[in-house]
Amino acid sequence: MKNKEKLNKQKPEKKKRLPVGRTIANTVFALKQVWHVSHSYFIIYFVNTILYAPLNFLSSTYLLSVIVDGVKNNKPVEGIAAFIAFIAVWSIGMELFSGVYWSIISPGNQDKVANYVRIKLSQKAASADLSCYETPSFFDKYVKAMDEANDRIYRVMGSVDNLIWRVTYISLSSFLLFTIDPWLILFMLFPLLMGIFRRMERKLGHEYITSQKPINRKQDYVRRTFYQSDYSKEMRIGNMYVRMLRVYRDSFYEFRDLTRKYGFKTAILSYLQNFGLEVVTIVGALTYAVYKTVVLKELTIGDCIIVLNAVGGVSYNLNNLLQNIAEFGEHALYIDDMRYFLDYEPKIKEDEKAPKANGGDIVVDNVTFRYEGAEKDTLKGVSMRIRKGEKIALVGLNGSGKTTLVKMLLRFYDPKSGSISLDGKDIKEYRLSSYRESYSCVFQDFHMFSLPVVENVTLRKRREGDEELVENALKESGGYDKIMSLENGVNTTLTKEFDENGANLSVGEQQKVSLARIFADDSPFIILDEPSSALDPIAEHKMFENMMRASEGRSVIFISHRLSSAVSADRIYLMDDGVIAEEGTHSELMKKNGKYANMFCLQAKNYVGKEAEA
Ligand code: ADP
């Protein structure tokens, strides 16, 4: 099944327990990440475990049995003393080792592992198909995987560590009990039956956390509307902040309902486990041992003391072992989310062996496209040719499919049918990164990063010579005077989020910075999607003049509402409900006296009207 389909079909609330094979595979996956980050850390961790594992048994139950045996059989006291000294040296050595391990070795490595996983997740997110961003479960999975990256892998290591030393303790103690009376083992096995309740409890826990994610996402969203400047104006007019607070408050009720739903069930399951363990195992085994000693006289007092000591230890560890095993089930569910995300293969992906793109004519041939979940096609058999160096204007009413066509050109989506080719070759055959690099784009919903202006323009880490390049580009886009008036010029950080000396620019100023992107490189294609919506008509006119001059030899595809900017285009395509309704030069289309001419006259009238009013 395709990953995307899986993303959609999965209902997190109903997530099932994973099969044992998958649980083991996920545990191995987690351990492999640690091994990958640091072999030495991995080895030290488990050497510590293996050295520590028998100590618990030797220093408690076995030591007692050595003493009882020594007293019963009149053994020399030196032998017992030597054994005690041996255990003491071992314990002290382990304590010293653990001290160094927990305070020095572990913390740094734990962070390294978390970072390694987080970086891998971020890289995956960056390569995910754009369509994933339209799927809410994609965000939930991503957020969950990121949250878990902090310590889940480390917790898997902890569980493996516990498993090793508990199994060691239980095996050795059970063997000792078995030599005293084999029937005692039956009591020890009872807690295994309680495992069923424990698994149910763990599964509920995972469901509970998974169900919280969409509510968390909602709350995060509301919090953002309160502090992000994007929302600041709308939040102050009308009653939006009251509305948002209500969404926030409702989400608290949702949390409360969830807690009620899961809390009661969890409490019952927990009670059943404790009852089984404490009443049946411990009290049962002790009664049996005392009966055999006092009534039947089949056990010696010494054996009875060892049984009393061992039963508690074995039961306690068996109980924890079951919890421990159930933990693997829980870890596996979370690791599965992480792996699911990491294993996600984008449909549109990089092929490093594919040839690089080098410009040329673009031919859009009968392209049809439908968004996932949409009921009808957004593009219906669109065809066009963009010749090298040509300036193309895409015009049409809102929702007619202009931006969608641009997204197809950039290969954010692939067509349902038809094809797009560059220089005679289907664009799917080019190396994706190189193909996309052949475009300079400015989108209507452009975003500034909290980074210096220079990096916001080049959209890459600063290289030598970038400052001059960006200053020149800003001159062309009209943003130069504003940016150079700032104390640090092109080195000014945008927004004050991380830098109190940063600059908050107006939307128009930001648009000029983003427009500088097209002047700062010489990629063969320029895409401008409503690039001048926040510019005044004079700034827009100037920007277009500059763009036409600076883009000589480069193909330009621009979408604009203001048809006045389409006049100078070599070719105009008018889109209407997903089809190219008209195409030609401005004068051809005016002569045709169709939809374009109609729209143009209407807009012109508006302008003239406004001027007259003024
Ligand atoms: P334009 O750029 O001409 O305003 P768009 O290409 O943005 O038009 O949108 C064309 C149609 O596709 C619209 O009806 C819009 O609602 C729909 N659409 C755009 N993006 C998506 C999406 N991600 N999922 C579903 N439908 C979408």
Side-chain angles (χ1 to χ4, degrees):
M1 207 192 310
K2 292 272 183 307
N3 286 331
K4 187 71 190 351
E5 280 163 17
K6 281 200 263 172
L7 272 172
N8 281 335
K9 286 193 178 157
Q10 200 157 359
K11 290 204 173 107
E13 296 76 15
K14 292 273 174 217
K15 191 156 186 169
K16 296 218 167 59
R17 179 159 59 88
L18 293 174
V20 176
R22 184 75 183 169
T23 303
I24 295 173
N26 286 357
T27 306
V28 172
F29 170 85
L31 295 179
K32 268 188 184 164
Q33 309 308 304
V34 184
W35 175 253
H36 185 89
V37 172
S38 169
H39 292 6
S40 56
Y41 172 57
F42 186 92
I43 292 168
I44 292 172
Y45 189 96
F46 288 109
V47 164
N48 180 35
T49 305
I50 289 161
L51 287 177
Y52 189 75
L55 195 56
N56 205 15
F57 168 74
L58 293 176
S59 62
S60 54
T61 312
Y62 190 67
L63 180 59
L64 187 68
S65 95
V66 167
I67 295 170
V68 169
D69 185 53
V71 172
K72 200 166 74 181
N73 299 317
N74 275 333
K75 287 194 176 159
V77 76
E78 293 81 4
I80 300 173
F83 183 71
I84 294 174
F86 170 67
I87 297 289
V89 170
W90 191 342
S91 297
I92 293 167
M94 285 310 298
E95 284 308 317
L96 284 176
F97 181 73
S98 292
V100 173
Y101 176 80
W102 288 110
S103 55
I104 301 169
I105 302 172
S106 178
N109 281 290
Q110 199 180 336
D111 278 352
K112 259 202 234 169
V113 174
N115 252 347
Y116 171 70
V117 176
R118 260 191 246 120
I119 288 172
K120 279 208 327 190
L121 287 169
S122 305
Q123 283 168 340
K124 250 311 172 221
S127 69
D129 291 318
L130 200 66
S131 51
C132 293
Y133 286 84
E134 286 140 22
T135 316
S137 62
F138 177 85
F139 288 107
D140 285 344
K141 276 194 174 295
Y142 182 63
V143 170
K144 200 139 59 101
M146 271 298 197
D147 284 353
E148 290 304 319
N150 280 341
D151 68 350
R152 183 59 62 178
I153 294 208
Y154 193 68
R155 285 169 66 186
V156 172
M157 283 175 79
S159 296
V160 175
D161 171 74
N162 277 340
L163 183 77
I164 293 174
W165 76 258
R166 284 193 206 287
V167 167
T168 311
Y169 177 85
I170 292 166
S171 315
L172 295 172
S173 297
S174 301
F175 181 72
L176 192 66
L177 286 174
F178 186 82
T179 59
I180 294 170
D181 183 340
W183 288 105
L184 285 166
I185 298 303
L186 277 186
F187 289 98
M188 303 301 109
L189 293 179
F190 189 77
L192 293 178
L193 296 177
M194 296 296 108
I196 185 167
F197 298 126
R198 201 173 308 282
R199 287 202 88 124
M200 285 163 78
E201 190 186 346
R202 294 277 160 180
K203 208 174 122 223
L204 270 184
H206 182 266
E207 276 179 26
Y208 178 43
I209 291 183
T210 306
S211 312
Q212 286 179 342
K213 294 286 170 190
I215 310 177
N216 282 333
R217 199 153 43 85
K218 204 187 289 177
Q219 291 195 339
D220 279 351
Y221 169 73
V222 175
R223 271 195 285 268
R224 281 203 309 276
T225 62
F226 275 86
Y227 72 76
Q228 281 191 346
S229 58
D230 292 4
Y231 299 95
S232 58
K233 290 190 284 308
E234 274 88 351
M235 287 293 277
R236 278 159 186 73
I237 52 177
N239 255 337
M240 272 327 275
Y241 85 95
V242 178
R243 178 72 189 92
M244 282 298 157
L245 278 179
R246 173 156 279 276
V247 175
Y248 204 65
R249 211 177 48 199
D250 289 348
S251 66
F252 273 111
Y253 294 140
E254 286 179 54
F255 261 128
R256 187 197 55 192
D257 293 346
L258 270 187
T259 310
R260 280 185 190 157
K261 180 177 162 193
Y262 287 98
F264 184 64
K265 288 185 195 165
T266 311
I268 290 184
L269 289 170
S270 173
Y271 172 76
L272 286 173
Q273 290 164 52
N274 290 338
F275 178 82
L277 189 82
E278 279 163 25
V279 177
V280 181
T281 307
I282 301 184
V283 177
L286 294 186
T287 311
Y288 174 77
V290 169
Y291 174 74
K292 289 213 76 172
T293 311
V294 177
V295 181
L296 301 182
K297 310 250 185 279
E298 286 177 9
L299 292 182
T300 64
I301 294 285
D303 285 343
C304 188
I305 293 172
I306 293 171
V307 171
L308 296 187
N309 177 283
V311 164
V314 172
S315 301
Y316 172 77
N317 280 294
L318 212 50
N319 181 28
N320 284 317
L321 178 70
L322 291 174
Q323 231 174 46
N324 196 202
I325 291 169
E327 268 167 26
F328 283 101
E330 181 192 285
H331 295 324
L333 284 171
Y334 288 104
I335 300 275
D336 217 49
D337 288 334
M338 215 179 267
R339 286 185 72 185
Y340 181 85
F341 201 85
L342 290 173
D343 290 346
Y344 171 77
E345 278 299 323
K347 282 184 228 156
I348 301 175
K349 57 186 171 198
E350 181 82 350
D351 173 5
E352 298 198 348
K353 289 190 202 107
K356 291 189 172 178
N358 261 324
D361 285 6
I362 291 182
V363 177
V364 178
D365 185 17
N366 204 16
V367 164
T368 296
F369 175 73
R370 179 182 298 201
Y371 285 104
E372 231 168 81
E375 285 178 358
K376 61 181 187 89
D377 293 339
T378 291
L379 299 182
K380 304 162 188 166
V382 171
S383 295
M384 64 165 64
R385 175 181 277 272
I386 304 160
R387 291 187 180 77
K388 204 172 167 185
E390 221 174 10
K391 317 292 180 237
I392 299 290
L394 268 183
V395 300
L397 296 177
N398 274 341
S400 56
K402 305 180 294 294
T403 301
T404 305
L405 180 59
V406 159
K407 287 189 204 161
M408 313 281 307
L409 287 177
L410 289 166
R411 259 205 101 198
F412 288 153
Y413 302 96
D414 280 336
K416 186 171 108 183
S417 63
S419 68
I420 303 177
S421 60
L422 168 67
D423 202 21
K425 205 193 293 251
D426 195 308
I427 57 174
K428 293 180 189 167
E429 291 173 32
Y430 290 105
R431 190 170 162 173
L432 184 64
S433 56
S434 144
Y435 175 73
R436 287 198 183 141
E437 273 165 22
S438 45
Y439 289 87
S440 287
C441 305
V442 181
F443 300 106
Q444 186 179 16
D445 56 346
F446 60 88
H447 280 99
M448 296 283 120
F449 295 91
S450 278
L451 290 169
V453 172
V454 64
E455 292 184 13
N456 267 288
V457 172
T458 57
L459 293 181
R460 60 163 188 247
K461 193 166 163 17
R462 183 190 315 224
R463 295 182 195 153
E464 217 181 300
D466 274 358
E467 289 179 21
E468 202 188 331
L469 180 80
V470 168
E471 283 174 17
N472 287 333
L474 284 166
K475 279 181 194 159
E476 303 282 6
S477 72
Y480 182 80
D481 292 342
K482 172 69 194 176
I483 298 301
M484 296 320 276
S485 74
L486 303 170
E487 199 182 323
N488 294 317
V490 292
N491 293 313
T492 308
T493 303
L494 291 187
T495 80
K496 290 184 184 289
E497 204 154 352
F498 306 117
D499 181 355
E500 58 184 37
N501 296 321
N504 283 329
L505 301 179
S506 73
V507 183
E509 288 158 355
Q510 286 180 41
Q511 200 152 41
K512 287 173 184 167
V513 171
S514 65
L515 275 166
R517 289 171 187 166
I518 60 168
F519 299 106
D521 74 17
D522 55 0
S523 55
F525 300 105
I526 296 173
I527 289 189
L528 303 166
D529 185 353
E530 295 281 353
S532 48
S533 56
L535 301 187
D536 56 69
I538 297 171
E540 182 194 35
H541 178 73
K542 203 156 179 265
M543 190 282 293
F544 264 103
E545 265 189 352
N546 290 347
M547 194 218 24
M548 288 301 180
R549 187 170 36 77
S551 63
E552 206 153 305
R554 301 165 76 187
S555 308
V556 179
I557 300 129
F558 67 87
I559 299 178
S560 180
H561 265 108
R562 294 188 191 146
L563 296 187
S564 55
S565 52
V567 174
S568 49
D570 297 323
R571 197 152 197 83
I572 299 166
Y573 289 91
L574 177 96
M575 290 198 70
D576 185 18
D577 195 20
V579 297
I580 306 279
E582 290 176 15
E583 65 171 282
T585 60
H586 172 72
S587 52
E588 281 167 5
L589 292 181
M590 289 307 284
K591 253 187 236 149
K592 195 171 175 190
N593 203 18
K595 286 184 177 164
Y596 175 84
N598 221 342
M599 278 168 70
F600 189 86
C601 293
L602 226 111
Q603 281 195 3
K605 222 194 275 171
N606 267 345
Y607 272 110
V608 174
K610 274 184 190 141
E611 268 167 30
E613 277 165 27

